[in-house]
């Protein structure tokens, strides 16, 4: 996926509000890329543009070498909240994207049950979302995105609402699942540590009008393990990113 010079303006109270300005970034096949930026800088708007829900004021969206600006149904998306339908069972929620794509139910359910076991949700296939913990709900929501026919995944702060310990568990879990199938991922987070732990590359965004202030190659090898969090190089890079963001957002 590639964004080419994306800009976005809105009219607010008769004035032009520039949210995004000349955003160019890319995610290669099988790559995990994170975006770090302040609240309100337009990260969700960027996802809406990628997903074809909002037309950019300027610029182009390319997926698999084709311009797809304004086209819907080409990405898999996971929002900040799990957004599971309370009237559908866990397996029915997980197969939703496949159902919309017209994949036969028997095939979809078989695949869903296989993956539910892999992500620690065996036995909850017929349960409803309200009986699951927050972390379990997020696993189900991620699995729904993972099993979508679309290769490219946008994850919009999927762990923001979780407590610190659950969030850490989910980061480790996401990394282990992602390393099994290497889907192309664009991941939004406020956490520098989370981005460094999960990503191949990181884009740092400014305040509005939002631009890319730095692109960072994450140097830690894969498969990546929790021990990397305590390495001196990890802590040094974390502090450098923090200093950059603090300097820009004063």
């Amino acid at each position: 996926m590639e964004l080419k010079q994306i800009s976005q303006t809105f009219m607010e109270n008769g004035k032009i509000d520039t949210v995004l300005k000349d955003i160019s970034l890319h995610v290669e096949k099988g790559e995990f890329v994170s975006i770090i930026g302040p609240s309100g800088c337009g990260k969700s708007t960027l996802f809406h543009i990628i997903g074809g829900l909002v037309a950019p004021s300027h610029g182009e969206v390319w997926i698999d070498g084709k311009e797809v600006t304004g086209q819907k149904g080409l990405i898999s998306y996971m929002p900040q909240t799990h957004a599971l339908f309370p009237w559908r069972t866990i397996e029915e929620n997980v197969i939703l994207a496949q159902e919309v794509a017209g994949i036969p139910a028997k095939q979809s359910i078989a695949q869903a049950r296989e993956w539910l076991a892999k992500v620690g949700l065996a036995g909850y296939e017929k349960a409803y979302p309200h009986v699951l913990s927050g972390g379990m709900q997020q696993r189900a929501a991620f699995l729904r995105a993972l099993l979508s026919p679309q290769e490219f995944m946008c994850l919009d702060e999927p762990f923001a609402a979780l407590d610190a310990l659950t969030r850490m568990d989910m980061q480790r879990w996401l990394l282990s699942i992602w390393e099994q199938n290497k889907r192309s991922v664009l991941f939004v987070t406020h956490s520098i540590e989370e981005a460094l732990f999960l990503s191949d590359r990181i884009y740092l965004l400014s305040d509005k009008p939002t631009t890319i202030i730095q692109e960072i190659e994450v140097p830690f090898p894969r498969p990546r393990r929790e021990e990397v969090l305590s390495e001196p190089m990890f802590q040094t890079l974390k502090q450098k990113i923090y200093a950059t963001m603090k300097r820009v957002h004063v």
Side-chain angles (χ1 to χ4, degrees), residues 25-45:
L25 59 81
H26 66 281
V27 180
E28 300 298 331
K29 185 174 178 62
E31 191 177 30
F32 197 119
V33 176
S34 287
I35 292 174
I36 300 176
S39 296
C41 74
K43 299 184 296 294
S44 294
T45 299

Side-chain angles (χ1 to χ4, degrees), residues 106-124:
K106 186 175 181 180
Q107 176 184 336
S108 299
I109 289 174
Q111 186 182 34
R113 289 178 179 174
E114 176 187 345
W115 273 95
L116 284 165
K118 289 182 181 180
V119 303
L121 292 175
Y124 290 93

Side-chain angles (χ1 to χ4, degrees), residues 148-216:
S148 167
Q150 289 75 27
E151 161 66 22
F152 182 67
M153 299 177 68
C154 287
L155 308 182
D156 190 358
E157 296 189 77
F159 309 144
L162 301 176
D163 64 80
L165 288 177
T166 304
R167 182 170 184 156
M168 192 176 300
D169 286 341
M170 288 298 296
Q171 290 169 9
R172 290 192 294 264
W173 173 84
L174 172 59
L175 195 57
S176 67
I177 293 297
W178 177 81
E179 286 180 343
Q180 292 178 37
N181 52 37
K182 295 289 182 74
R183 292 283 289 275
S184 305
V185 173
L186 186 60
F187 184 90
V188 165
T189 180
H190 283 294
S191 169
I192 297 171
E193 184 173 277
E194 184 170 75
L196 283 172
F197 182 48
L198 296 173
S199 308
D200 297 304
R201 288 185 298 111
I202 301 170
Y203 289 100
L204 306 184
L205 301 186
S206 70
D207 278 319
K208 292 193 303 183
T210 301
T211 60
I212 293 174
I213 55 176
Q214 193 173 351
E215 178 185 348
I216 296 167

